[in-house]
């Protein structure tokens, strides 16, 4: 079963590290999920100021706006999709993720299976 | 088998068997089929089948095993109707036939007890806190959704939705049915104990409201704790929690007066206390405190045991209780524990000593709006004869108290201090 780990990071410093974890921690974690053979995909998102929103009105008119920029201190900074047997295993991997430390948090969401 | 078995007796036997076996039956089916809804449906179908068959054909020798076999057959039937599961059904069918061959007509009355897995599933931290107790009562105690709703004073539709949502999360997020490994146990077991204790306190705090139903809830919590204790005899905090609940529950008949008013420990008629429960509780307290450092439930149970042992309030072993609150405070440094310790110190060393400690806690945010704190302070002020201050403190407590029995109790205290003065 696939689970998405949504990594909500706290403030990131100029070296890309957040509170309680250094870039090396991420490299170690990344290596671990690869070697465990459970990694489906994973990306780190670019800085939030680069976010852009697209909406299409009922008339088909496209609007593009800057943002949104969340009010909260935590922003979605990246994600992993892992294939593991159950929620407890997914929660264990989430707990080991450097993004869960300090003011960060990791939200675990099962990925819908439409029986394809 | 007794072909002449009267229908009413058979149905009351189904009731008994259902109560005793429901959790085990359900746990066994869940572990076999991995689907809580399916397990629940076939469990109730098996009970219905028993209600039709037993009055006519007599009650089988091993009613629990009969129910399990029947429920399993029904589960296989249901799965067979779902063609996408054909392969799984074939495996299950073969397994079912094999077990029936090995143990003809009986599934052996001591079929494996998988209730422990169910306890951990129902109390999983990924489920909302308000659903955990409900789910535990539903699955392990076998209460209907309606009964659970009544117990928690929640509209049945809202409770049904809460339970459905929790079961959906178990299924779709794939919360596993398993007992945590020994290295995870210290983190997960307190959650299970918390669920049972909160069921108990839910029943207990309300023994002044819609009476009977809620005392049932305290009984249910104790029954669940007994099951858990039998499944995990070596876990001393499980033993401690069971002891604690027995020792508190032993006082139930003395806790309220004829018009449902609250009677405090110091004013209770100790002849009404249930000696049998106290004896059980005391035996278990010793177990829970032996063989290693004590846990918070064990220490609280030891305090309750000292209260239950005393002939009256004043001759209670206060020095020992103060010492135990000291231990508890080290395990759980919360202002409420500190407050209770201060009250015990007031009993040991006098009201002035207790009041000084209570006043030191005045700035604690958790106590500022906590009416027992205001009551305790008022009581000590009254004992010291500081009537005006006591009155102010009682009036504050009156504003903070949430229920009528509590407010009435404070009003009686208020009246008492003014009468005391008049008499002087």
């Amino acid at each position: 079963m696939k689970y998405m780990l949504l990594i909500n990071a706290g403030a990131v410093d100029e070296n890309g590290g957040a509170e309680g974890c250094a870039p090396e921690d991420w490299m170690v974690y990344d290596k671990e999920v690869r070697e465990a053979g459970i990694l489906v995909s994973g990306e780190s998102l670019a800085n939030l100021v680069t976010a852009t929103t697209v909406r299409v009105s009922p008339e088909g008119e496209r609007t593009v706006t800057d943002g949104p920029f969340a009010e909260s201190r935590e922003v979605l900074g990246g994600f992993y999709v892992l294939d593991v047997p159950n929620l407890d295993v997914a929660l264990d991997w989430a707990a080991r993720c450097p993004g869960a430390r300090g003011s960060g948090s990791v939200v675990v969401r099962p990925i819908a299976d439409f029986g394809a | 088998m007794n072909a002449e078995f009267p229908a009413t007796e058979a149905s009351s036997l189904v009731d008994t068997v259902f109560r005793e076996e429901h959790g085990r039956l359900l746990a066994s089916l869940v572990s076999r089929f991995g689907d809580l809804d399916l397990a629940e449906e076939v469990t109730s179908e098996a009970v219905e089948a028993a209600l039709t068959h037993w009055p006519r054909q007599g009650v089988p020798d091993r009613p629990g095993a009969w129910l399990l076999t029947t429920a399993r057959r029904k589960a296989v039937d249901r799965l067979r109707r779902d063609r996408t599961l054909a392969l799984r059904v074939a495996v299950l069918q073969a397994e079912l036939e094999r077990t029936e061959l090995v143990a003809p007509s009986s599934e052996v009355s001591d079929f494996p007890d998988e209730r422990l897995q169910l306890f951990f599933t129902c109390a999983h931290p990924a489920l909302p806190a308000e659903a955990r107790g409900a789910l535990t009562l539903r699955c392990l105690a076998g209460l209907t959704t309606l009964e659970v709703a009544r117990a928690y004073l929640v509209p049945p539709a809202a409770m049904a939705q809460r339970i459905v949502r929790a079961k959906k999360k178990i299924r779709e997020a794939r919360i596993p049915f398993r007992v945590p490994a020994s290295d995870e146990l210290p983190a997960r077991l307190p959650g299970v104990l918390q669920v049972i204790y909160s069921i108990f306190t839910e029943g207990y705090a309300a023994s002044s409201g819609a009476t009977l139903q809620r005392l049932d809830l305290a009984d249910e919590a104790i029954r669940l704790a007994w099951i858990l204790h039998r499944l995990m005899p070596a876990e001393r905090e499980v033993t401690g929690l069971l002891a604690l609940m027995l020792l508190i529950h032993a006082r139930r008949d003395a806790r309220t007066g004829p018009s449902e008013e609250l009677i405090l420990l110091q004013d209770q008629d100790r002849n009404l206390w249930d000696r049998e429960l106290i004896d059980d509780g005391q035996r278990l307290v010793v177990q829970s405190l032996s063989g290693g450092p004590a846990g918070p439930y064990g220490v609280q149970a030891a305090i309750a045991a000292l209260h239950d042992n005393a002939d009256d309030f004043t001759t209670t072993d206060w020095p020992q209780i103060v010492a135990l609150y000291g231990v508890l405070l080290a395990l759980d440094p919360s202002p409420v524990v500190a407050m209770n310790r201060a009250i015990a110190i007031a009993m040991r060393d006098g009201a002035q000593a207790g009041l000084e400690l209570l006043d030191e806690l005045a700035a604690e945010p958790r106590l500022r709006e906590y009416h027992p704190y205001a009551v305790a302070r008022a009581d000590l002020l009254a004992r010291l004869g500081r009537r005006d201050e006591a009155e102010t403190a009682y009036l504050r407590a009156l504003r903070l108290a949430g229920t009528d029995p509590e407010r009435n109790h404070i009003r009686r205290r208020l009246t008492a201090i003014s009468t005391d003065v008049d008499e002087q």
Side-chain angles (χ1 to χ4, degrees):
Chain A
M1 173 129 171
K2 289 178 189 139
Y3 294 86
M4 189 170 210
L5 274 50
L6 295 156
I7 300 152
N8 296 302
V12 178
D13 65 25
E14 63 273 23
N15 300 320
E19 192 188 336
C21 61
E24 301 82 68
D25 296 327
W26 285 104
M27 282 152 72
V28 169
Y29 183 72
D30 207 72
K31 190 161 173 275
E32 281 173 353
V33 291
R34 275 171 213 284
E35 285 176 356
I38 55 171
L39 179 70
V40 178
S41 63
E43 297 293 348
S44 178
L45 302 182
N47 196 303
L48 185 66
V49 296
T50 60
T52 311
T53 304
V54 179
R55 285 188 187 83
V56 177
S57 74
E59 295 76 36
E61 193 187 338
R62 180 206 288 196
T63 49
V64 173
T65 50
D66 185 26
F69 311 117
E71 298 282 326
S72 69
R73 282 197 309 122
E74 287 186 8
V75 294
L76 183 62
F79 70 90
Y80 277 100
V81 176
L82 303 179
D83 195 349
V84 292
N86 60 50
L87 184 68
D88 277 358
V89 181
L91 296 178
D92 284 342
W93 281 103
R96 292 167 68 174
C97 179
R101 294 176 210 157
S103 60
S105 65
V106 175
V107 174
V108 179
R109 299 275 309 264
I111 289 181
D113 176 6
F114 298 108
Chain B
M1 299 231 179
N2 179 357
E4 300 299 310
F5 215 86
T8 47
E9 248 177 83
S11 104
S12 90
L13 186 67
V14 175
D15 258 12
T16 315
V17 170
F18 184 72
R19 270 182 86 76
E20 292 300 312
E21 300 284 342
H22 178 274
R24 249 177 108 195
L25 199 57
L26 191 69
S28 170
L29 292 160
V30 167
S31 106
R32 175 78 51 120
F33 298 104
D35 185 332
L36 189 51
D37 277 321
L38 176 73
E40 276 202 307
E41 281 162 22
V42 296
T43 298
S44 43
E45 281 178 24
V47 172
E48 273 171 42
L51 280 170
T52 352
H53 284 94
W54 295 3
R56 280 193 275 117
Q57 295 165 5
V59 176
D61 298 336
R62 295 189 180 100
W66 188 97
L67 284 168
L68 180 64
T69 308
T70 309
R72 276 193 193 160
R73 285 208 193 100
K74 289 186 182 292
V76 170
D77 284 348
R78 271 170 173 260
L79 289 172
R80 191 180 286 130
R81 270 178 255 144
D82 189 342
R83 285 166 188 274
T84 58
L85 294 169
L87 188 67
R88 214 169 127 218
V89 172
V91 175
L92 290 168
Q93 179 70 42
E95 203 179 317
L96 189 62
E97 276 162 14
R98 200 179 58 240
T99 49
E100 281 176 15
L101 271 177
V102 174
S105 82
S106 81
E107 194 62 47
V108 210
S109 65
D110 44 4
F111 57 86
D113 197 333
E114 275 128 345
R115 278 179 292 187
L116 200 48
Q117 302 175 6
L118 204 50
F119 267 112
F120 282 97
T121 309
C122 291
H124 199 283
L127 295 172
E130 75 269 17
R132 290 179 217 157
L135 209 55
T136 304
L137 284 171
R138 179 89 186 81
C139 295
L140 282 147
L143 264 61
T144 64
T145 302
L146 196 66
E147 286 168 331
V148 177
R150 214 182 296 147
Y152 281 103
L153 305 176
V154 166
M159 183 52 82
Q161 201 176 29
R162 198 182 282 183
I163 291 174
V164 165
R165 243 187 242 144
K167 286 198 290 191
K168 193 171 172 188
K169 177 149 189 190
I170 291 173
R171 186 175 61 246
E172 293 182 4
R174 209 174 290 182
I175 291 176
F177 294 94
R178 65 178 194 118
V179 179
S182 57
D183 61 319
E184 307 167 277
L185 206 56
R188 290 285 309 279
L189 187 58
V192 175
L193 300 180
Q194 180 59 50
V195 164
I196 296 178
Y197 194 44
S198 69
I199 291 172
F200 181 77
T201 48
E202 190 74 35
Y204 209 61
S207 65
S208 35
T211 47
L212 259 180
Q213 184 62 32
R214 326 275 343 250
L215 270 185
D216 279 0
L217 206 54
D219 283 334
E220 260 344 308
I222 289 173
R223 203 163 66 87
L224 290 169
W226 271 116
I227 296 171
L228 194 62
H229 171 63
R230 281 191 207 103
L231 296 171
M232 308 185 98
E235 285 300 329
R236 296 183 5 258
E237 274 291 86
V238 177
T239 318
L241 173 63
L242 175 58
L244 175 62
M245 296 193 300
L246 290 172
L247 291 164
I248 296 176
H249 202 49
R251 304 178 207 138
R252 66 192 178 284
D253 293 338
R255 273 187 84 232
T256 48
S259 50
E260 291 299 322
E261 73 273 18
L262 196 67
I263 301 178
L264 293 190
L265 191 58
Q266 62 217 61
D267 306 319
Q268 287 175 12
D269 176 358
R270 295 176 182 227
N271 294 317
L272 296 176
W273 289 359
D274 186 331
R275 291 315 311 182
E276 208 174 311
L277 288 192
I278 293 174
D279 291 346
D280 277 351
Q282 271 167 341
R283 184 174 51 78
L284 291 161
V285 165
V286 174
Q287 265 182 43
S288 85
L289 296 179
S290 323
Y297 286 119
V299 176
Q300 289 177 75
I303 294 171
L306 288 173
H307 282 301
D308 286 3
N309 243 353
D311 292 329
D312 58 57
F313 195 63
T314 43
T315 60
T316 304
D317 188 349
W318 294 107
Q320 183 84 340
I321 289 181
V322 170
L324 286 168
Y325 271 119
V327 175
L328 189 59
L329 196 61
L331 293 169
D332 170 22
S334 79
V336 173
V337 175
M339 176 192 104
N340 287 322
R341 181 169 168 272
I343 297 169
I345 285 177
M347 289 307 296
R348 186 190 65 178
D349 302 339
Q352 185 60 40
L355 185 64
E356 279 165 23
L357 286 170
L358 279 187
D359 284 340
E360 280 171 31
L361 295 168
E364 288 289 349
R366 274 180 65 191
L367 297 182
R368 219 175 289 153
E369 305 291 312
Y370 187 60
H371 85 267
Y373 174 79
V375 175
R377 234 187 123 254
D379 284 349
L380 293 183
L381 286 166
R383 268 171 59 191
L384 290 167
R386 290 156 69 173
R387 185 181 164 256
D388 289 349
E389 288 165 276
E391 200 175 88
T392 315
Y394 278 127
L395 288 171
R396 175 167 174 73
L398 201 56
R399 277 198 307 278
L400 296 173
T403 67
D404 284 341
E406 284 161 343
R407 277 191 286 269
N408 292 337
H409 170 73
I410 297 166
R411 281 195 198 100
R412 281 201 302 278
R413 290 289 181 108
L414 260 173
T415 321
I417 55 165
S418 31
T419 344
D420 282 353
V421 169
D422 292 346
E423 281 166 3
Q424 276 165 14

